[in-house]
Amino acid sequence: GENVEQHPSTLSVQEGDSAVIKCTYSDSASNYFPWYKQELGKGPQLIIDIRSNVGEKKDQRIAVTLNKTAKHFSLHITETQPEDSAVYFCAAPSGTNFGNEKLTFGTGTRLTIIP
Amino acid sequence: NAGVMQNPRHLVRRRGQEARLRCSPMKGHSHVYWYRQLPEEGLKFMVYLQKENIIDESGMPKERFSAEFPKEGPSILRIQQVVRGDSAAYFCASSPILIGQGGIFGSGTRLTVV
């Protein structure tokens, strides 16, 4: 099955600086990579995703890059703001039938933005 | 268009009681997934259901846990004879196609076993 590793587990960044979170995956057949943001007491919120036919995707201050050869993908947050403080999870698809019946999540990164 | 609705938001049960968690998927979504999150940990897959069918329950504990998604009504995650170790946040997600191509999560049910 899929194995997803996420680093770092905690990250503190000065407001206005950039934050980068990295994930690696094991199944070379995986073709979809979402990132979720979870605020305290809430459910995971999909913030951006990327499919394997592209190497980078941007949405305002958030970007995701994908390196299929190395099997890793990264979340980049620029011009960080206090409301970016949360736990971020990467994920990759897995499953025995089609390979994408479920998502395997990384262990999470607690991002703290320092005002 | 309401999102994925879970209830109750908080549930307290004494050891040995039963817990029932409900999930109504987004309109138009026919795939439902349950995940468990222990304190300070990531989300662990439990079960994947379609209407009236359990497709993958490889993440479900062998005993005391069951799930269903009837033809009418919400999906139910049922935990019998709860123990302290069952205390966790249980999240439901739904997708129009396989979640490996995208999914939306509910706000979760936080189960506390006392």
Side-chain angles (χ1 to χ4, degrees), chain A residues 60-82:
Chain A
Q60 299 182 356
R61 297 186 296 107
I62 295 173
V64 56
T65 58
L66 171 65
N67 183 327
K68 285 221 72 178
T69 303
K71 290 191 283 188
H72 67 69
F73 56 112
S74 300
L75 177 70
H76 304 252
I77 307 174
T78 58
E79 301 173 14
T80 53
Q81 301 169 4

Side-chain angles (χ1 to χ4, degrees), chain B residues 5 8-9 14 18 28 32-33 37 40-41 52 56-57 62-63 66 69 72-73 75 88 90 92 96 100 107:
Chain B
M5 304 301 293
R9 289 295 306 275
R14 296 186 182 280
E18 178 180 287
V32 168
Y33 311 80
Q37 186 176 35
E40 302 298 320
E41 293 189 13
E52 299 184 280
D56 182 346
E57 56 181 348
K62 299 299 181 192
E63 298 178 348
S66 62
F69 189 16
E72 302 291 337
S75 175
Y90 292 82
C92 169
S107 298

Side-chain angles (χ1 to χ4, degrees), chain B residues 36-70:
Chain B
R36 176 164 64 176
Q37 186 176 35
L38 294 171
E40 302 298 320
E41 293 189 13
L43 294 103
K44 302 294 185 185
F45 170 79
M46 298 182 75
V47 63
Y48 160 40
L49 310 102
Q50 294 180 23
K51 285 284 188 182
E52 299 184 280
N53 281 305
I54 297 174
I55 308 302
D56 182 346
E57 56 181 348
S58 59
M60 289 275 273
K62 299 299 181 192
E63 298 178 348
R64 302 187 297 108
F65 285 72
S66 62
E68 63 177 7
F69 189 16

Side-chain angles (χ1 to χ4, degrees), chain A residues 31-32 36 38 40-44 46 49 51 89 93 95-98 100-107 110, chain B residues 9 33 35 37 40-45 48 55-56 58-59 91 98-108 110:
Chain A
N31 60 2
Y32 172 73
Y36 287 84
Q38 187 177 28
L40 191 63
K42 297 184 178 180
L46 179 67
D49 55 21
R51 300 184 190 275
F89 292 96
T96 55
N97 293 322
F98 305 103
N100 58 3
E101 302 98 293
K102 57 192 175 189
L103 288 174
T104 297
F105 283 82
T107 49
R110 182 176 300 278
Chain B
R9 289 295 306 275
Y33 311 80
Y35 280 78
Q37 186 176 35
E40 302 298 320
E41 293 189 13
L43 294 103
K44 302 294 185 185
F45 170 79
Y48 160 40
I55 308 302
D56 182 346
S58 59
F91 292 99
L98 296 172
I99 197 172
Q101 300 298 309
I104 305 299
F105 280 81
S107 298
R110 279 146 188 85

Side-chain angles (χ1 to χ4, degrees), chain B residues 66-87:
Chain B
S66 62
E68 63 177 7
F69 189 16
K71 186 176 180 181
E72 302 291 337
S75 175
I76 305 289
L77 179 67
R78 182 182 178 203
I79 311 173
Q80 295 178 292
Q81 299 176 325
V82 296
V83 300
R84 289 240 171 92
D86 297 332
S87 295

